[in-house]
């Protein structure tokens, strides 16, 4: 059931290629410099008539396994100038042309009582959409992040939605929004949703920690190689982007890499766990990323040895080790640093360090199950 809910959630969001004309939106605006004060200055997504609508030429997309952000749901979009297209890459982020605008809107389903600070902790997105957009009667918008490719590189801008859900305003210094997660069993968890400031955006999106230049994280072949239900029917996203003129050089989808859906219980446990670590940790834990000095590599291509943390002692993790000796101890998740740090919400211990204030219980359970299934052991030298 959970698999079906996850896979079907964004399938209910149709492509809004005609919405701009129908709703009278101005064309998408590419801002080559500056920081527009309002999200509507971009004309990518706009709140109109009780819905959050996508403009003409704005293509929605989803990931096989998404990044966890305090149980928030996300609406992702790509727009490119007419005649421009991204170049396919089998491993890294696609080479997007100057002028590309990528948006990601974070939102939560509303709870039945309709209290603004209460948001639903659920994976079910099937009721979030109505017709051609997010139904604002059913969801609470939190923030929309814009990534724009300018001549001097990518720029990141966070916008926070106002209380009336009519506009999102630039928040260069970020924001802290007190919310309460309400589960299906009515249990409650208070937390602070943290909107990152621009420098924090850079800390995750800088693929090369030497140059510090930022890039998108999600638009890679292995994340996008999946089906999506567009207005004209279901289609593989790589094929759809190619058909739309937004992607060149993509192979047949069977030849493109594809990460597992972390919630797909029919997929191999190893594939699910590796996909989860890849999207949540791999953008920092790689040879060029912010965590490259740790010796821990969590991208999908990392070999299953010490690079992946198996029997690897920590490097300068401080109290984040929880007094454990190795990142991963095969068969012993409770003795493994990775599981310990994922299960913590303490800023001095938790991993990832940014992007969440809560513990992803289901994600921790997945990684613990993966570690528990591993064979072997670690030798301790004293």
């Amino acid at each position: 059931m959970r698999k079906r809910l996850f896979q079907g959630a964004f399938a209910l969001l149709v492509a809004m290629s005609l919405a701009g004309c129908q709703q009278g939106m101005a064309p998408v605006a590419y801002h080559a410099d500056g920081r527009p004060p309002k999200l509507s200055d971009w004309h990518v997504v706009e709140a109109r008539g009780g819905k959050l609508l996508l403009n003409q030429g704005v293509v929605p997309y989803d990931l096989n396994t998404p990044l966890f952000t305090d149980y928030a749901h996300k609406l992702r979009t790509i727009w490119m100038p007419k005649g421009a297209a991204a170049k396919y890459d089998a491993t890294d982020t696609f080479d997007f042309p100057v002028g590309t605008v990528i948006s990601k809107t974070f939102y939560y389903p509303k709870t039945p009582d309709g209290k603004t600070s209460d948001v639903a902790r659920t994976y079910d997105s099937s009721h979030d959409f109505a017709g051609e957009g997010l139904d604002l009667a059913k969801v609470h918008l939190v923030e929309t992040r814009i990534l724009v490719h300018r001549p001097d590189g990518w720029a990141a801008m966070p916008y926070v939605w106002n209380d009336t859900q009519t506009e999102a305003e630039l928040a260069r210094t970020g924001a802290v929004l007190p919310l309460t997660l309400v589960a299906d069993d009515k249990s409650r968890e208070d937390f602070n949703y943290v909107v990152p400031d621009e420098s924090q955006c850079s800390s995750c999106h800088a693929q090369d920690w030497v140059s510090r230049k930022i890039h998108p994280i999600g638009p890679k072949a292995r994340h996008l190689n999946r089906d999506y239900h567009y207005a004209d029917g279901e289609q593989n996203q790589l094929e759809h982007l190619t058909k739309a003129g937004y992607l060149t050089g993509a192979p047949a989808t069977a030849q493109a890499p594809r990460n597992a859906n972390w919630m797909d219980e029919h997929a191999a446990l190893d594939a699910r766990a590796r996909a989860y670590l890849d999207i949540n940790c791999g953008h920092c834990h790689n040879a060029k990323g912010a965590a490259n000095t740790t010796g821990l590599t969590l991208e999908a291509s990392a070999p299953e040895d010490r690079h992946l943390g198996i029997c690897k002692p920590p490097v300068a993790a401080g109290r984040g080790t929880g007094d454990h000796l190795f990142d991963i101890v095969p068969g012993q998740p409770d003795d493994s640093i990775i599981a310990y740090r994922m299960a913590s919400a303490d800023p001095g211990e938790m991993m990832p360090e940014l992007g969440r204030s809560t513990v992803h219980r289901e994600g921790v359970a997945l990684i613990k199950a993966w570690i528990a299934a591993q064979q072997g052991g670690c030798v301790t030298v004293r």
Side-chain angles (χ1 to χ4, degrees):
M1 175 63 70
R2 180 177 287 178
K3 173 190 172 184
R4 291 196 297 271
L5 290 175
F6 181 83
Q7 291 181 327
F10 281 88
L12 295 177
L13 175 62
V14 298
M16 262 65 77
S17 60
L18 297 179
C21 296
Q22 295 170 351
Q23 298 297 325
M25 285 190 205
V28 172
Y30 159 61
H31 296 274
D33 52 34
R35 297 290 192 273
K38 296 180 179 181
L39 179 64
S40 60
D41 293 329
W42 294 91
H43 302 299
V44 173
V45 294
E46 293 186 19
R48 287 170 172 256
K51 298 178 184 177
L52 183 70
L53 299 176
L54 280 65
N55 207 344
Q56 184 175 8
V58 176
V59 177
Y61 69 96
D62 200 5
L63 309 183
N64 281 311
T65 291
L67 179 73
F68 172 75
T69 310
D70 290 328
Y71 291 96
H73 297 201
K74 301 167 188 177
L75 169 60
R76 303 168 179 84
T77 74
I78 296 177
W79 176 87
M80 296 181 212
K82 186 176 181 179
K87 295 179 182 177
Y88 175 86
D89 190 292
T91 303
D92 295 326
T93 301
F94 296 157
D95 183 7
F96 289 97
V98 170
T100 299
V101 180
I102 295 176
S103 80
K104 182 160 62 171
T105 297
F106 297 70
Y107 66 95
Y108 290 92
K110 291 182 177 179
T111 57
D113 62 14
K115 188 177 179 181
T116 303
S117 61
D118 285 359
V119 293
R121 180 170 69 83
T122 177
Y123 292 105
D124 184 5
S125 298
S126 61
H127 303 294
D128 296 356
F129 310 107
E132 295 183 331
L134 290 179
D135 184 350
L136 299 184
K138 296 179 179 179
V139 304
H140 175 73
L141 304 176
V142 180
E143 61 162 322
T144 296
R145 300 177 192 175
I146 292 288
L147 272 177
V148 55
H149 196 187
R150 290 170 165 170
D152 58 349
W154 289 90
M157 281 158 267
Y159 292 83
V160 176
W161 284 90
N162 59 20
D163 292 340
T164 58
Q165 303 281 274
T166 56
E167 179 66 272
E169 298 183 357
L170 182 66
R172 296 190 66 174
T173 58
V176 178
L177 309 174
L179 296 172
T180 300
L181 286 167
V182 181
D184 292 338
D185 62 3
K186 307 304 180 182
S187 61
R188 300 169 64 85
E189 179 181 0
D190 297 331
F191 74 105
N192 287 323
Y193 182 101
V194 178
V195 178
D197 60 38
E198 290 184 1
S199 64
Q200 290 173 320
C201 291
S202 300
S203 67
C204 287
H205 283 273
Q207 292 185 340
D208 188 328
W209 203 237
V210 176
S211 69
R212 302 293 181 94
K213 290 186 176 181
I214 69 173
H215 295 81
I217 295 173
K220 297 181 175 73
R222 62 184 181 271
H223 302 316
L224 296 182
N225 189 7
R226 53 159 290 170
D227 289 345
Y228 192 100
H229 196 89
Y230 299 96
D232 56 354
E234 189 169 284
Q235 188 176 25
N236 180 277
Q237 292 184 139
L238 298 179
E239 293 177 347
H240 185 83
L241 289 170
T242 299
K243 181 180 177 182
Y246 278 2
L247 182 63
T248 61
T253 55
Q255 275 66 59
R258 181 172 187 162
N259 272 10
N261 171 353
W262 76 279
M263 296 182 71
D264 182 1
E265 296 180 356
H266 295 288
L269 176 61
D270 182 71
R272 294 166 58 204
R274 293 296 300 271
Y276 185 91
L277 293 172
D278 184 26
I279 192 65
N280 283 281
C281 313
H283 51 276
C284 285
H285 283 279
N286 62 73
K288 295 182 179 180
N292 64 345
T293 59
T294 65
L296 183 62
T297 303
L298 297 176
E299 289 181 307
S301 59
E304 294 194 9
D305 54 19
R306 284 202 171 196
H307 291 86
L308 192 60
I310 297 175
C311 297
K312 187 190 80 62
V315 176
R319 65 187 178 92
T321 65
D323 294 327
H324 302 313
L325 299 178
F326 303 105
D327 290 336
I328 292 177
V329 180
Q332 300 181 50
D334 291 337
D335 293 332
S336 301
I337 296 172
I338 285 180
Y340 176 81
R341 301 192 77 172
M342 285 180 58
S344 175
D346 184 326
E349 298 179 346
M350 58 188 270
M351 279 291 174
E353 295 176 315
L354 300 173
R356 69 175 178 92
S357 300
T358 61
V359 174
H360 190 196
R361 304 172 192 179
E362 297 83 0
V364 172
L366 171 67
I367 299 305
K368 282 190 171 184
W370 173 62
I371 295 173
Q374 294 178 13
Q375 302 296 312
C378 301
V379 177
T380 302
V381 179
R382 297 188 183 275

